[in-house]
Amino acid sequence: MKLDDTSPGDIEWRIEVTQRTCVAGNYTYKNAPKCACSTIKRALWFTEMELGRFTRAREDAYDGEFLHLVNDGTPFSNVAAHANETFIFTFTRNPYERIYSAYLDKCVRAAITGSILPMLRTRLGVGERPVSFNEFLTFIASQRDRNRDSHWATMYRTTAEDVLPSHFIGAVETLSDDLNKVYARIYPGLTPQIENTNQTRGIVVAPPPTEAELRLLFEIYRSDFEFYGYSDKPELSRAPPLHRPKY
């Protein structure tokens, strides 16, 4: 897949955003926003606590900033140089569900709570008036992928598959089974504690996407649909991928 920017600076930015490395556990988790990332990082954090590698209180795992301590600071260059010696994994989600979830979270709920991203406040006036899903998609379409926020950039770019291919790509649609497969590799004999405390649907309400909006979304994220094997049929938006990438 061809990206619109593969400069060293762009690559470093993408890795800085996504990389969660644990040398002690000999793994690198590539975090894809809006793909159960908080749930996955929390599960990893709980397991690290069980193993005695971190000693903070369990409640601290619900602090968004504290979750980043799963990353032990290993630079990307070290991970890339020893990619065959560490287990690299990521999780993806059907783009229909992922981007609508981003809209509910970053536009609808954020307008209520006041936690607006500056670019949305400036470009869309979020917080001052309701913003439709179509306006959100049109805003995304106006940006180059490299300039998009990680919550709505393509998953392929965000997880840097072009420069640091994953050994395993799980799916949110089969989260429990796939995370158990990851654990069999990085934490043999242990079971992940899966606690989703970041659900947007059902809490934040907005009109469902129209057919025209779904077509626009597909055109923006066609590369993710194709690379990760998701169906282009909206009625299958919560179904597992039809196929997984092979390297």
Side-chain angles (χ1 to χ4, degrees):
M1 184 182 299
K2 183 176 177 56
L3 297 176
D4 57 15
D5 186 1
T6 55
S7 65
D10 172 69
I11 292 171
E12 289 296 333
W13 176 85
R14 286 188 281 144
I15 293 297
E16 180 183 353
V17 167
T18 67
Q19 179 181 317
R20 299 289 179 267
T21 298
C22 179
V23 171
N26 198 32
Y27 67 77
T28 292
Y29 164 52
K30 295 189 298 180
N31 172 85
K34 306 308 297 179
C35 295
C37 54
S38 295
T39 300
I40 294 167
K41 286 184 289 187
R42 190 174 293 116
L44 296 172
W45 172 249
F46 288 159
T47 303
E48 290 297 315
M49 286 198 299
E50 285 182 19
L51 296 173
R53 293 172 181 160
F54 296 123
T55 57
R56 295 286 291 274
R58 177 187 176 91
E59 289 72 18
D60 287 332
Y62 292 92
D63 181 335
E65 293 186 6
F66 205 62
L67 284 171
H68 287 254
L69 289 184
V70 171
N71 186 355
D72 61 13
T74 302
F76 164 66
S77 57
N78 287 5
V79 176
H82 302 283
N84 292 329
E85 301 170 19
T86 185
F87 183 63
I88 303 171
F89 67 96
T90 191
F91 277 73
T92 64
R93 183 180 185 182
N94 186 295
Y96 287 134
E97 290 288 315
R98 176 176 177 252
I99 301 307
Y100 189 63
S101 176
Y103 165 69
L104 293 178
D105 189 24
K106 301 304 179 183
C107 288
V108 182
R109 180 166 66 179
I112 298 171
T113 63
S115 55
I116 306 297
L117 294 176
M119 71 170 68
L120 294 179
R121 184 184 297 278
T122 301
R123 295 286 296 276
L124 295 178
V126 178
E128 301 170 3
R129 64 177 179 82
V131 173
S132 70
F133 189 44
N134 185 69
E135 287 178 300
F136 182 58
L137 290 175
T138 301
F139 167 66
I140 294 174
S142 72
Q143 296 181 303
R144 295 181 65 185
D145 201 18
R146 61 172 293 188
N147 296 327
R148 293 171 182 157
D149 182 89
S150 61
H151 291 86
W152 55 81
T154 61
M155 293 180 288
Y156 185 84
R157 168 176 288 283
T158 304
T159 59
E161 289 297 328
D162 54 322
V163 293
L164 191 65
S166 302
H167 297 127
F168 179 80
I169 298 178
V172 170
E173 295 79 12
T174 50
L175 178 62
S176 181
D177 287 346
D178 287 350
L179 195 53
N180 271 286
K181 292 175 183 177
V182 168
Y183 264 57
R185 178 69 180 267
I186 65 176
Y187 299 126
L190 298 181
T191 301
Q193 300 181 48
I194 301 176
E195 300 182 10
N196 185 0
T197 61
N198 193 31
Q199 293 185 12
T200 303
R201 280 185 181 273
I203 299 174
V204 178
V205 179
T210 65
E211 289 186 15
E213 289 167 345
L214 291 172
R215 285 196 297 272
L216 176 57
L217 190 156
F218 176 76
E219 289 305 318
I220 296 171
Y221 295 96
R222 179 188 292 269
S223 59
D224 275 351
F225 278 99
E226 293 176 350
F227 183 80
Y228 294 108
Y230 285 103
S231 171
D232 62 353
K233 294 179 171 55
E235 62 270 24
L236 297 178
S237 65
R238 299 190 182 186
L242 300 176
H243 63 81
R244 309 276 178 123
K246 294 182 180 181
Y247 296 102

